[in-house]
Amino acid sequence: MEPGKVKIYTCGPTVYDFPHIGNLRAYIFSDTLRRMFEFNSYQVSHVINITDVGHLTSNADSGEDKMELASRKQHQSAWDIARFYTEIFKNNLIEMNIASPTVWSPATDHIQDQIDLIKKIEAAGCAYTTSDGVYFDTSKFDSYGYLARLDIDGMEPGSRVEFNGEKRNPTDFALWKFSIKQGDRQMEWQSPWGLGFPGWHIECSAMAMKYLGKTIDVHTGGIDHIPVHHTNEIAQSESVTGQKFVNYWLHVAFLTVESQKMSKSAGTFITLKEVIDRHYDPLAFRYMALTSHYRTGLNFTWEGLRGAQKALVSLREKVAQYQYEEVAPDGESLSEFRGRINNDLNTPQALAFLFEVVRSTLPDTVKRATMLEFDKVLGLKLDKIPAESEAPQDVVDLLVQRQQFRREKNWQESDRIRREIVAKGYDVEDTPEGSRVIKKGL
Ligand SMILES: [Zn+2]
């Protein structure tokens, strides 16, 4: 809307469990989107919310709050659960080289903003109160469901969601839920309607408009958000402002693991910790995510991750081998890359072009500068020096043996092993955090 500026809102995590790699794919996508805008010289304002209250186990405004449920299961207060998993989430983003948003907005820090918005929805005649909460009356908002192209008239009560008898329409949803009795919940607040907590959808409307204004340029989330969560965000915001809430909705498709839906019981619920524990560079997963377009499903396999890591290491080795000189990136290659990435964020095509630059006849110094310019969008840390995780197993084993001798202060044996490692073409670097091996000449 404003020249040179772009406002992005991204639906954030519900912080009751470890994020899985499917969640992380969504934030790799929003980060790459943000980097693409910055590459095109836009100034980006980016908000990601933290859902730390009000997300119920059922989409039908029933069931338990996920935070309270996790609190019971993990014997921690709901507040501690929120703090703990928020930290885990933010650390995962750092590992994935995902920039912090301009604003992190936890729902529990914005209760008053949510109450104020519900009051406005009520004043606009779009809310009513039942015995268990305040609901949005979707029949009062003419264009309800346009994002998802919902067939409202053809919808039987209970067809999309379990029908609550007091709801006027099957698609109505909770803005505020009442506590059954005081002290029943750990997270509850006073409101004009009674003690309780906000519904899940209201936080995103309230916080998006607070930080970014009545209309925002881009809103991102998963495709699963289209029929309910984003449809309801639109209703809440537009019923109050009378203007368009979002100009562009971008939704990222699902990730499957070995062609299966991710599930804890099937052992296909993979976290970043597992990726790291298996000695993969977290950015190998970022590379893998970039090999598929965000609107296409991504099928994760360990085999595929191995391939991604190999490709990433080979690119880093190239950058490390090319001589550094202060030269400008190749203009023609930059405009080709820009064309691909600006075409609805076509990361597979952009990555493919990176390899074309490697194979090109450009001078090495220019190749290096050009690749690192592309990396501003890709975020793969291509200038990272390939380290021990890429060394062959026999070299890694030697390094582990040497560390043991060093702990025992057996310098003679430790030196002997160092010579063995050097003979295999690697240098050993000792740092306060430990030792690592680096391929010689890099
Ligand atoms: Zn949201």
Side-chain angles (χ1 to χ4, degrees):
M1 290 173 291
E2 216 182 310
K5 293 189 176 171
V6 62
K7 297 170 177 177
I8 308 176
Y9 185 90
T10 295
C11 283
T14 303
V15 283
Y16 69 105
D17 199 352
F18 290 93
H20 55 63
I21 55 173
N23 303 131
L24 294 175
R25 181 195 189 195
Y27 302 102
I28 293 170
F29 154 68
S30 61
D31 183 63
T32 311
L33 180 74
R34 173 192 173 146
R35 288 165 177 269
M36 179 277 290
F37 279 118
E38 286 170 348
F39 192 68
N40 286 278
S41 306
Y42 282 86
Q43 193 190 322
V44 180
S45 303
H46 188 198
V47 177
I48 305 183
N49 68 300
I50 300 281
T51 299
D52 51 3
V53 67
H55 195 171
L56 305 186
T57 50
S58 151
N59 254 343
D61 299 312
S62 60
E64 203 171 345
D65 187 318
K66 291 184 180 186
M67 301 303 302
E68 304 264 344
L69 181 64
S71 162
R72 250 187 328 101
K73 282 192 172 164
Q74 299 177 36
H75 310 290
Q76 303 259 344
S77 79
W79 296 98
D80 285 342
I81 294 278
R83 255 190 302 275
F84 179 75
Y85 289 109
T86 300
E87 271 321 292
I88 296 275
F89 177 71
K90 288 182 176 176
N91 286 335
N92 275 199
L93 296 200
I94 292 168
E95 298 271 19
M96 303 301 323
N97 198 20
I98 293 172
S100 283
T102 324
V103 177
W104 281 115
S105 59
T108 53
D109 286 352
H110 297 79
I111 298 297
Q112 192 55 48
D113 298 294
Q114 298 175 68
I115 289 174
D116 290 345
L117 183 58
I118 299 169
K119 281 192 202 159
K120 288 180 190 163
I121 293 169
E122 204 173 35
C126 293
Y128 59 94
T129 303
T130 70
S131 62
D132 77 339
V134 181
Y135 284 81
F136 190 100
D137 185 341
T138 52
S139 69
K140 298 283 169 61
F141 180 65
D142 283 346
S143 54
Y144 184 79
Y146 71 76
L147 181 72
R149 301 183 184 90
L150 292 182
D151 173 16
I152 306 293
D153 293 334
M155 200 178 266
E156 295 294 319
S159 62
R160 185 182 69 175
V161 293
E162 192 187 314
F163 195 61
N164 157 346
E166 284 184 81
K167 280 191 194 178
R168 293 181 186 165
N169 311 286
T171 47
D172 290 358
F173 57 92
L175 297 165
W176 188 265
K177 292 273 285 183
F178 300 137
S179 297
I180 294 169
K181 59 177 194 298
Q182 187 164 7
D184 179 46
R185 297 173 47 90
Q186 299 169 48
M187 293 175 154
E188 56 186 0
W189 295 267
Q190 282 300 342
S191 80
W193 311 278
L195 186 72
F197 60 100
W200 172 37
H201 317 295
I202 194 73
E203 67 178 84
C204 286
S205 286
M207 300 191 293
M209 294 199 291
K210 173 173 181 158
Y211 293 110
L212 301 173
K214 289 176 183 168
T215 303
I216 60 182
D217 292 297
V218 181
H219 193 313
T220 78
I223 48 170
D224 51 322
H225 288 148
I226 298 172
V228 181
H229 184 54
H230 288 168
T231 287
N232 293 348
E233 280 188 40
I234 291 172
Q236 293 166 150
S237 300
E238 297 189 1
S239 65
V240 166
T241 66
Q243 64 189 61
K244 200 173 183 193
F245 175 44
V246 170
N247 275 342
Y248 296 95
W249 288 94
L250 302 188
H251 291 103
V252 60
F254 283 133
L255 177 136
T256 48
V257 172
E258 312 279 355
S259 304
Q260 308 281 312
K261 196 166 179 266
M262 211 178 298
S263 98
K264 277 197 172 162
S265 50
T268 52
F269 184 98
I270 297 171
T271 62
L272 191 58
K273 185 177 179 303
E274 185 171 358
V275 168
I276 294 169
D277 286 350
R278 293 198 189 195
H279 300 289
Y280 286 99
D281 186 317
L283 294 183
F285 178 65
R286 183 173 180 120
Y287 182 99
M288 188 186 207
L290 296 178
T291 59
S292 74
H293 190 265
Y294 72 90
R295 281 189 286 104
T296 318
L298 171 62
N299 185 35
F300 175 92
T301 62
W302 289 106
E303 187 68 41
L305 188 64
R306 240 187 319 276
Q309 170 130 325
K310 230 172 124 188
L312 176 62
V313 169
S314 80
L315 287 168
R316 286 177 177 167
E317 280 178 352
K318 288 288 176 205
V319 169
Q321 283 160 13
Y322 296 151
Q323 206 190 331
Y324 169 73
E325 212 178 286
E326 210 166 301
V327 293
D330 178 53
E332 215 171 289
S333 302
L334 275 189
S335 68
E336 176 63 31
F337 179 82
R338 193 187 304 276
R340 294 182 185 211
I341 203 76
N342 287 4
N343 178 17
D344 194 17
L345 210 65
N346 198 330
T347 54
Q349 289 279 317
L351 262 186
F353 186 63
L354 182 62
F355 286 95
E356 283 182 41
V357 168
V358 172
R359 288 190 299 264
S360 74
T361 54
L362 291 168
D364 285 356
T365 52
V366 177
K367 281 186 190 174
R368 184 181 190 279
T370 308
M371 290 169 78
L372 294 184
E373 196 63 22
F374 294 177
D375 199 32
K376 289 179 181 171
V377 178
L378 304 172
L380 295 170
K381 295 194 177 169
L382 292 181
D383 55 351
K384 191 176 154 193
I385 293 168
E388 78 268 11
S389 62
E390 285 88 60
Q393 197 55 48
D394 55 336
V395 174
V396 174
D397 290 345
L398 284 171
L399 187 72
V400 172
Q401 281 181 38
R402 180 171 173 275
Q403 273 159 345
Q404 186 54 36
F405 286 128
R406 277 170 61 82
R407 272 193 292 276
E408 293 163 3
K409 300 198 186 323
N410 184 343
W411 307 119
Q412 202 180 346
E413 277 303 294
S414 121
D415 278 349
R416 184 184 61 78
I417 290 183
R418 171 194 278 270
R419 285 194 297 276
E420 254 187 77
I421 293 174
V422 170
K424 288 180 183 289
Y426 288 82
D427 281 326
V428 182
E429 192 182 83
D430 295 314
T431 70
E433 289 81 42
S435 307
R436 59 181 203 141
V437 288
I438 301 166
K439 210 169 181 175
K440 266 204 264 187
L442 294 186

mmCIF file of all heavy atoms in Angstrom, residues 56-94:
data_model
loop_
_atom_site.group_PDB
_atom_site.id
_atom_site.type_symbol
_atom_site.label_atom_id
_atom_site.label_comp_id
_atom_site.label_asym_id
_atom_site.label_seq_id
_atom_site.Cartn_x
_atom_site.Cartn_y
_atom_site.Cartn_z
ATOM 1 N N LEU A 56 -8.207 -24.043 21.701
ATOM 2 C CA LEU A 56 -8.824 -25.241 22.274
ATOM 3 C C LEU A 56 -8.501 -26.472 21.442
ATOM 4 O O LEU A 56 -8.139 -26.379 20.273
ATOM 5 C CB LEU A 56 -10.343 -25.050 22.378
ATOM 6 C CG LEU A 56 -10.801 -23.814 23.157
ATOM 7 C CD1 LEU A 56 -12.318 -23.813 23.311
ATOM 8 C CD2 LEU A 56 -10.132 -23.724 24.523
ATOM 9 N N THR A 57 -8.665 -27.625 22.060
ATOM 10 C CA THR A 57 -8.334 -28.869 21.369
ATOM 11 C C THR A 57 -9.312 -29.161 20.235
ATOM 12 O O THR A 57 -9.009 -29.913 19.331
ATOM 13 C CB THR A 57 -8.333 -30.064 22.345
ATOM 14 O OG1 THR A 57 -9.563 -30.036 23.082
ATOM 15 C CG2 THR A 57 -7.179 -29.983 23.313
ATOM 16 N N SER A 58 -10.498 -28.538 20.282
ATOM 17 C CA SER A 58 -11.459 -28.751 19.203
ATOM 18 C C SER A 58 -11.735 -27.433 18.501
ATOM 19 O O SER A 58 -11.800 -26.385 19.131
ATOM 20 C CB SER A 58 -12.762 -29.306 19.776
ATOM 21 O OG SER A 58 -13.847 -28.918 18.960
ATOM 22 N N ASN A 59 -11.904 -27.503 17.186
ATOM 23 C CA ASN A 59 -12.218 -26.318 16.397
ATOM 24 C C ASN A 59 -13.628 -25.798 16.671
ATOM 25 O O ASN A 59 -14.000 -24.733 16.227
ATOM 26 C CB ASN A 59 -12.113 -26.656 14.901
ATOM 27 C CG ASN A 59 -10.852 -26.056 14.315
ATOM 28 O OD1 ASN A 59 -10.230 -25.167 14.894
ATOM 29 N ND2 ASN A 59 -10.466 -26.546 13.155
ATOM 30 N N ALA A 60 -14.435 -26.587 17.403
ATOM 31 C CA ALA A 60 -15.827 -26.227 17.630
ATOM 32 C C ALA A 60 -16.012 -25.404 18.892
ATOM 33 O O ALA A 60 -17.084 -25.400 19.488
ATOM 34 C CB ALA A 60 -16.668 -27.497 17.709
ATOM 35 N N ASP A 61 -14.960 -24.707 19.316
ATOM 36 C CA ASP A 61 -15.024 -23.893 20.538
ATOM 37 C C ASP A 61 -15.344 -24.734 21.761
ATOM 38 O O ASP A 61 -15.953 -24.269 22.709
ATOM 39 C CB ASP A 61 -16.068 -22.767 20.403
ATOM 40 C CG ASP A 61 -15.722 -21.822 19.262
ATOM 41 O OD1 ASP A 61 -14.568 -21.395 19.199
ATOM 42 O OD2 ASP A 61 -16.614 -21.556 18.442
ATOM 43 N N SER A 62 -14.982 -26.003 21.709
ATOM 44 C CA SER A 62 -15.155 -26.855 22.879
ATOM 45 C C SER A 62 -13.837 -27.576 23.110
ATOM 46 O O SER A 62 -12.878 -27.384 22.375
ATOM 47 C CB SER A 62 -16.290 -27.851 22.643
ATOM 48 O OG SER A 62 -15.982 -28.655 21.526
ATOM 49 N N GLY A 63 -13.815 -28.417 24.134
ATOM 50 C CA GLY A 63 -12.561 -29.096 24.450
ATOM 51 C C GLY A 63 -11.740 -28.222 25.369
ATOM 52 O O GLY A 63 -12.147 -27.139 25.763
ATOM 53 N N GLU A 64 -10.554 -28.717 25.700
ATOM 54 C CA GLU A 64 -9.739 -28.034 26.693
ATOM 55 C C GLU A 64 -8.768 -27.077 26.015
ATOM 56 O O GLU A 64 -8.353 -27.284 24.870
ATOM 57 C CB GLU A 64 -8.966 -29.082 27.512
ATOM 58 C CG GLU A 64 -8.555 -28.561 28.867
ATOM 59 C CD GLU A 64 -7.987 -29.651 29.783
ATOM 60 O OE1 GLU A 64 -8.157 -30.848 29.485
ATOM 61 O OE2 GLU A 64 -7.374 -29.293 30.789
ATOM 62 N N ASP A 65 -8.383 -26.029 26.723
ATOM 63 C CA ASP A 65 -7.347 -25.119 26.257
ATOM 64 C C ASP A 65 -6.035 -25.917 26.188
ATOM 65 O O ASP A 65 -5.650 -26.577 27.158
ATOM 66 C CB ASP A 65 -7.225 -23.957 27.259
ATOM 67 C CG ASP A 65 -6.292 -22.862 26.777
ATOM 68 O OD1 ASP A 65 -5.222 -23.191 26.226
ATOM 69 O OD2 ASP A 65 -6.621 -21.684 26.977
ATOM 70 N N LYS A 66 -5.345 -25.859 25.052
ATOM 71 C CA LYS A 66 -4.121 -26.655 24.883
ATOM 72 C C LYS A 66 -3.067 -26.331 25.940
ATOM 73 O O LYS A 66 -2.278 -27.196 26.320
ATOM 74 C CB LYS A 66 -3.544 -26.429 23.482
ATOM 75 C CG LYS A 66 -4.407 -27.012 22.371
ATOM 76 C CD LYS A 66 -3.758 -26.865 21.006
ATOM 77 C CE LYS A 66 -4.650 -27.469 19.923
ATOM 78 N NZ LYS A 66 -4.016 -27.491 18.604
ATOM 79 N N MET A 67 -3.048 -25.072 26.402
ATOM 80 C CA MET A 67 -2.064 -24.678 27.409
ATOM 81 C C MET A 67 -2.373 -25.342 28.748
ATOM 82 O O MET A 67 -1.482 -25.840 29.429
ATOM 83 C CB MET A 67 -2.052 -23.158 27.592
ATOM 84 C CG MET A 67 -1.737 -22.363 26.354
ATOM 85 S SD MET A 67 -0.154 -22.778 25.586
ATOM 86 C CE MET A 67 0.948 -22.448 26.936
ATOM 87 N N GLU A 68 -3.655 -25.325 29.118
ATOM 88 C CA GLU A 68 -4.053 -25.894 30.413
ATOM 89 C C GLU A 68 -3.869 -27.415 30.393
ATOM 90 O O GLU A 68 -3.461 -28.022 31.378
ATOM 91 C CB GLU A 68 -5.507 -25.514 30.741
ATOM 92 C CG GLU A 68 -5.772 -24.018 30.741
ATOM 93 C CD GLU A 68 -5.715 -23.355 32.132
ATOM 94 O OE1 GLU A 68 -5.759 -24.077 33.135
ATOM 95 O OE2 GLU A 68 -5.608 -22.104 32.184
ATOM 96 N N LEU A 69 -4.152 -28.008 29.243
ATOM 97 C CA LEU A 69 -3.994 -29.454 29.094
ATOM 98 C C LEU A 69 -2.518 -29.847 29.241
ATOM 99 O O LEU A 69 -2.170 -30.781 29.973
ATOM 100 C CB LEU A 69 -4.531 -29.886 27.728
ATOM 101 C CG LEU A 69 -4.473 -31.374 27.390
ATOM 102 C CD1 LEU A 69 -5.362 -32.172 28.330
ATOM 103 C CD2 LEU A 69 -4.907 -31.613 25.938
ATOM 104 N N ALA A 70 -1.637 -29.091 28.562
ATOM 105 C CA ALA A 70 -0.192 -29.375 28.652
ATOM 106 C C ALA A 70 0.282 -29.174 30.083
ATOM 107 O O ALA A 70 1.142 -29.911 30.581
ATOM 108 C CB ALA A 70 0.584 -28.469 27.695
ATOM 109 N N SER A 71 -0.285 -28.187 30.756
ATOM 110 C CA SER A 71 0.089 -27.909 32.139
ATOM 111 C C SER A 71 -0.214 -29.112 33.028
ATOM 112 O O SER A 71 0.604 -29.526 33.848
ATOM 113 C CB SER A 71 -0.683 -26.675 32.612
ATOM 114 O OG SER A 71 -0.692 -26.599 34.003
ATOM 115 N N ARG A 72 -1.391 -29.690 32.831
ATOM 116 C CA ARG A 72 -1.758 -30.860 33.635
ATOM 117 C C ARG A 72 -0.849 -32.036 33.331
ATOM 118 O O ARG A 72 -0.358 -32.727 34.211
ATOM 119 C CB ARG A 72 -3.214 -31.236 33.344
ATOM 120 C CG ARG A 72 -4.125 -30.942 34.501
ATOM 121 C CD ARG A 72 -5.547 -31.443 34.366
ATOM 122 N NE ARG A 72 -6.135 -31.503 33.056
ATOM 123 C CZ ARG A 72 -6.259 -32.610 32.322
ATOM 124 N NH1 ARG A 72 -5.818 -33.766 32.794
ATOM 125 N NH2 ARG A 72 -6.832 -32.578 31.148
ATOM 126 N N LYS A 73 -0.599 -32.252 32.039
ATOM 127 C CA LYS A 73 0.191 -33.425 31.637
ATOM 128 C C LYS A 73 1.648 -33.301 32.030
ATOM 129 O O LYS A 73 2.302 -34.285 32.321
ATOM 130 C CB LYS A 73 0.098 -33.602 30.120
ATOM 131 C CG LYS A 73 -1.212 -34.224 29.665
ATOM 132 C CD LYS A 73 -1.098 -34.619 28.206
ATOM 133 C CE LYS A 73 -2.290 -35.416 27.745
ATOM 134 N NZ LYS A 73 -2.347 -35.461 26.270
ATOM 135 N N GLN A 74 2.181 -32.074 31.978
ATOM 136 C CA GLN A 74 3.618 -31.896 32.207
ATOM 137 C C GLN A 74 3.931 -31.376 33.610
ATOM 138 O O GLN A 74 5.090 -31.091 33.922
ATOM 139 C CB GLN A 74 4.205 -30.967 31.137
ATOM 140 C CG GLN A 74 4.027 -31.538 29.723
ATOM 141 C CD GLN A 74 4.532 -30.603 28.630
ATOM 142 O OE1 GLN A 74 5.521 -29.913 28.800
ATOM 143 N NE2 GLN A 74 3.859 -30.585 27.496
ATOM 144 N N HIS A 75 2.892 -31.256 34.453
ATOM 145 C CA HIS A 75 3.068 -30.831 35.847
ATOM 146 C C HIS A 75 3.855 -29.534 35.969
ATOM 147 O O HIS A 75 4.796 -29.425 36.762
ATOM 148 C CB HIS A 75 3.726 -31.942 36.681
ATOM 149 C CG HIS A 75 3.047 -33.268 36.508
ATOM 150 N ND1 HIS A 75 1.783 -33.518 37.012
ATOM 151 C CD2 HIS A 75 3.424 -34.382 35.846
ATOM 152 C CE1 HIS A 75 1.435 -34.747 36.677
ATOM 153 N NE2 HIS A 75 2.409 -35.288 35.969
ATOM 154 N N GLN A 76 3.508 -28.569 35.154
ATOM 155 C CA GLN A 76 4.109 -27.235 35.189
ATOM 156 C C GLN A 76 2.951 -26.260 35.088
ATOM 157 O O GLN A 76 1.914 -26.614 34.545
ATOM 158 C CB GLN A 76 4.981 -27.010 33.948
ATOM 159 C CG GLN A 76 6.082 -28.012 33.746
ATOM 160 C CD GLN A 76 7.407 -27.459 34.193
ATOM 161 O OE1 GLN A 76 7.553 -26.245 34.378
ATOM 162 N NE2 GLN A 76 8.362 -28.326 34.400
ATOM 163 N N SER A 77 3.161 -25.032 35.533
ATOM 164 C CA SER A 77 2.066 -24.073 35.382
ATOM 165 C C SER A 77 1.909 -23.738 33.898
ATOM 166 O O SER A 77 2.861 -23.871 33.111
ATOM 167 C CB SER A 77 2.354 -22.804 36.181
ATOM 168 O OG SER A 77 3.251 -21.977 35.475
ATOM 169 N N ALA A 78 0.707 -23.326 33.521
ATOM 170 C CA ALA A 78 0.476 -22.960 32.115
ATOM 171 C C ALA A 78 1.422 -21.833 31.706
ATOM 172 O O ALA A 78 1.890 -21.778 30.562
ATOM 173 C CB ALA A 78 -0.981 -22.534 31.925
ATOM 174 N N TRP A 79 1.729 -20.947 32.660
ATOM 175 C CA TRP A 79 2.640 -19.829 32.349
ATOM 176 C C TRP A 79 4.047 -20.332 32.094
ATOM 177 O O TRP A 79 4.737 -19.845 31.202
ATOM 178 C CB TRP A 79 2.626 -18.804 33.506
ATOM 179 C CG TRP A 79 1.277 -18.166 33.665
ATOM 180 C CD1 TRP A 79 0.304 -18.506 34.557
ATOM 181 C CD2 TRP A 79 0.730 -17.095 32.870
ATOM 182 N NE1 TRP A 79 -0.802 -17.709 34.381
ATOM 183 C CE2 TRP A 79 -0.572 -16.831 33.356
ATOM 184 C CE3 TRP A 79 1.226 -16.337 31.797
ATOM 185 C CZ2 TRP A 79 -1.396 -15.857 32.824
ATOM 186 C CZ3 TRP A 79 0.406 -15.352 31.265
ATOM 187 C CH2 TRP A 79 -0.887 -15.121 31.762
ATOM 188 N N ASP A 80 4.486 -21.313 32.884
ATOM 189 C CA ASP A 80 5.825 -21.886 32.666
ATOM 190 C C ASP A 80 5.889 -22.646 31.343
ATOM 191 O O ASP A 80 6.900 -22.605 30.646
ATOM 192 C CB ASP A 80 6.204 -22.821 33.824
ATOM 193 C CG ASP A 80 6.584 -22.044 35.084
ATOM 194 O OD1 ASP A 80 6.874 -20.830 34.956
ATOM 195 O OD2 ASP A 80 6.575 -22.638 36.181
ATOM 196 N N ILE A 81 4.805 -23.359 31.025
ATOM 197 C CA ILE A 81 4.743 -24.078 29.743
ATOM 198 C C ILE A 81 4.910 -23.073 28.599
ATOM 199 O O ILE A 81 5.703 -23.285 27.678
ATOM 200 C CB ILE A 81 3.369 -24.795 29.595
ATOM 201 C CG1 ILE A 81 3.231 -25.908 30.629
ATOM 202 C CG2 ILE A 81 3.148 -25.310 28.174
ATOM 203 C CD1 ILE A 81 3.892 -27.206 30.283
ATOM 204 N N ALA A 82 4.180 -21.955 28.696
ATOM 205 C CA ALA A 82 4.242 -20.944 27.636
ATOM 206 C C ALA A 82 5.648 -20.384 27.506
ATOM 207 O O ALA A 82 6.187 -20.277 26.401
ATOM 208 C CB ALA A 82 3.250 -19.813 27.921
ATOM 209 N N ARG A 83 6.264 -20.064 28.632
ATOM 210 C CA ARG A 83 7.628 -19.502 28.605
ATOM 211 C C ARG A 83 8.604 -20.498 27.994
ATOM 212 O O ARG A 83 9.398 -20.156 27.117
ATOM 213 C CB ARG A 83 8.087 -19.143 30.019
ATOM 214 C CG ARG A 83 8.084 -17.640 30.313
ATOM 215 C CD ARG A 83 8.778 -17.334 31.632
ATOM 216 N NE ARG A 83 8.168 -18.021 32.765
ATOM 217 C CZ ARG A 83 7.112 -17.553 33.434
ATOM 218 N NH1 ARG A 83 6.559 -16.414 33.100
ATOM 219 N NH2 ARG A 83 6.599 -18.229 34.446
ATOM 220 N N PHE A 84 8.513 -21.741 28.467
ATOM 221 C CA PHE A 84 9.454 -22.771 28.021
ATOM 222 C C PHE A 84 9.371 -22.995 26.506
ATOM 223 O O PHE A 84 10.376 -22.936 25.794
ATOM 224 C CB PHE A 84 9.176 -24.082 28.774
ATOM 225 C CG PHE A 84 10.069 -25.229 28.373
ATOM 226 C CD1 PHE A 84 11.382 -25.273 28.800
ATOM 227 C CD2 PHE A 84 9.581 -26.255 27.558
ATOM 228 C CE1 PHE A 84 12.218 -26.323 28.426
ATOM 229 C CE2 PHE A 84 10.405 -27.309 27.173
ATOM 230 C CZ PHE A 84 11.733 -27.343 27.616
ATOM 231 N N TYR A 85 8.152 -23.210 25.997
ATOM 232 C CA TYR A 85 8.038 -23.529 24.562
ATOM 233 C C TYR A 85 8.209 -22.306 23.667
ATOM 234 O O TYR A 85 8.571 -22.447 22.492
ATOM 235 C CB TYR A 85 6.738 -24.289 24.282
ATOM 236 C CG TYR A 85 6.794 -25.691 24.833
ATOM 237 C CD1 TYR A 85 6.047 -26.073 25.933
ATOM 238 C CD2 TYR A 85 7.655 -26.628 24.270
ATOM 239 C CE1 TYR A 85 6.131 -27.349 26.461
ATOM 240 C CE2 TYR A 85 7.753 -27.912 24.785
ATOM 241 C CZ TYR A 85 6.988 -28.267 25.880
ATOM 242 O OH TYR A 85 7.100 -29.527 26.397
ATOM 243 N N THR A 86 7.973 -21.114 24.225
ATOM 244 C CA THR A 86 8.271 -19.907 23.439
ATOM 245 C C THR A 86 9.779 -19.823 23.207
ATOM 246 O O THR A 86 10.241 -19.548 22.091
ATOM 247 C CB THR A 86 7.768 -18.643 24.166
ATOM 248 O OG1 THR A 86 6.353 -18.748 24.335
ATOM 249 C CG2 THR A 86 8.072 -17.389 23.373
ATOM 250 N N GLU A 87 10.553 -20.104 24.263
ATOM 251 C CA GLU A 87 12.017 -20.084 24.130
ATOM 252 C C GLU A 87 12.496 -21.121 23.125
ATOM 253 O O GLU A 87 13.349 -20.858 22.288
ATOM 254 C CB GLU A 87 12.688 -20.349 25.496
ATOM 255 C CG GLU A 87 12.933 -19.099 26.312
ATOM 256 C CD GLU A 87 13.394 -17.902 25.482
ATOM 257 O OE1 GLU A 87 14.520 -17.954 24.961
ATOM 258 O OE2 GLU A 87 12.626 -16.925 25.345
ATOM 259 N N ILE A 88 11.937 -22.338 23.245
ATOM 260 C CA ILE A 88 12.316 -23.417 22.319
ATOM 261 C C ILE A 88 12.035 -22.979 20.884
ATOM 262 O O ILE A 88 12.868 -23.135 19.982
ATOM 263 C CB ILE A 88 11.497 -24.707 22.617
ATOM 264 C CG1 ILE A 88 11.829 -25.244 24.009
ATOM 265 C CG2 ILE A 88 11.694 -25.756 21.527
ATOM 266 C CD1 ILE A 88 13.037 -26.122 24.094
ATOM 267 N N PHE A 89 10.859 -22.399 20.683
ATOM 268 C CA PHE A 89 10.474 -21.969 19.333
ATOM 269 C C PHE A 89 11.462 -20.918 18.807
ATOM 270 O O PHE A 89 11.966 -21.035 17.696
ATOM 271 C CB PHE A 89 9.052 -21.403 19.367
ATOM 272 C CG PHE A 89 8.592 -20.863 18.043
ATOM 273 C CD1 PHE A 89 8.300 -21.726 16.990
ATOM 274 C CD2 PHE A 89 8.456 -19.502 17.836
ATOM 275 C CE1 PHE A 89 7.885 -21.232 15.762
ATOM 276 C CE2 PHE A 89 8.038 -18.997 16.609
ATOM 277 C CZ PHE A 89 7.751 -19.865 15.571
ATOM 278 N N LYS A 90 11.753 -19.926 19.638
ATOM 279 C CA LYS A 90 12.661 -18.864 19.181
ATOM 280 C C LYS A 90 14.060 -19.424 18.894
ATOM 281 O O LYS A 90 14.707 -19.007 17.926
ATOM 282 C CB LYS A 90 12.727 -17.742 20.230
ATOM 283 C CG LYS A 90 11.437 -16.926 20.281
ATOM 284 C CD LYS A 90 11.537 -15.795 21.291
ATOM 285 C CE LYS A 90 10.272 -14.942 21.251
ATOM 286 N NZ LYS A 90 10.302 -13.890 22.302
ATOM 287 N N ASN A 91 14.515 -20.373 19.714
ATOM 288 C CA ASN A 91 15.826 -20.982 19.449
ATOM 289 C C ASN A 91 15.824 -21.780 18.157
ATOM 290 O O ASN A 91 16.804 -21.770 17.412
ATOM 291 C CB ASN A 91 16.250 -21.885 20.613
ATOM 292 C CG ASN A 91 16.685 -21.071 21.820
ATOM 293 O OD1 ASN A 91 17.107 -19.915 21.677
ATOM 294 N ND2 ASN A 91 16.554 -21.621 23.008
ATOM 295 N N ASN A 92 14.712 -22.464 17.891
ATOM 296 C CA ASN A 92 14.602 -23.202 16.623
ATOM 297 C C ASN A 92 14.725 -22.249 15.448
ATOM 298 O O ASN A 92 15.368 -22.560 14.445
ATOM 299 C CB ASN A 92 13.261 -23.926 16.533
ATOM 300 C CG ASN A 92 13.261 -25.301 17.203
ATOM 301 O OD1 ASN A 92 12.406 -26.128 16.932
ATOM 302 N ND2 ASN A 92 14.221 -25.555 18.067
ATOM 303 N N LEU A 93 14.118 -21.085 15.571
ATOM 304 C CA LEU A 93 14.191 -20.120 14.471
ATOM 305 C C LEU A 93 15.627 -19.647 14.267
ATOM 306 O O LEU A 93 16.088 -19.499 13.133
ATOM 307 C CB LEU A 93 13.275 -18.913 14.716
ATOM 308 C CG LEU A 93 11.763 -19.162 14.781
ATOM 309 C CD1 LEU A 93 11.004 -17.853 14.540
ATOM 310 C CD2 LEU A 93 11.287 -20.207 13.795
ATOM 311 N N ILE A 94 16.354 -19.437 15.370
ATOM 312 C CA ILE A 94 17.759 -19.022 15.244
ATOM 313 C C ILE A 94 18.547 -20.102 14.509
ATOM 314 O O ILE A 94 19.319 -19.810 13.595
ATOM 315 C CB ILE A 94 18.365 -18.722 16.640
ATOM 316 C CG1 ILE A 94 17.694 -17.467 17.226
ATOM 317 C CG2 ILE A 94 19.880 -18.534 16.551
ATOM 318 C CD1 ILE A 94 17.997 -17.236 18.699
#
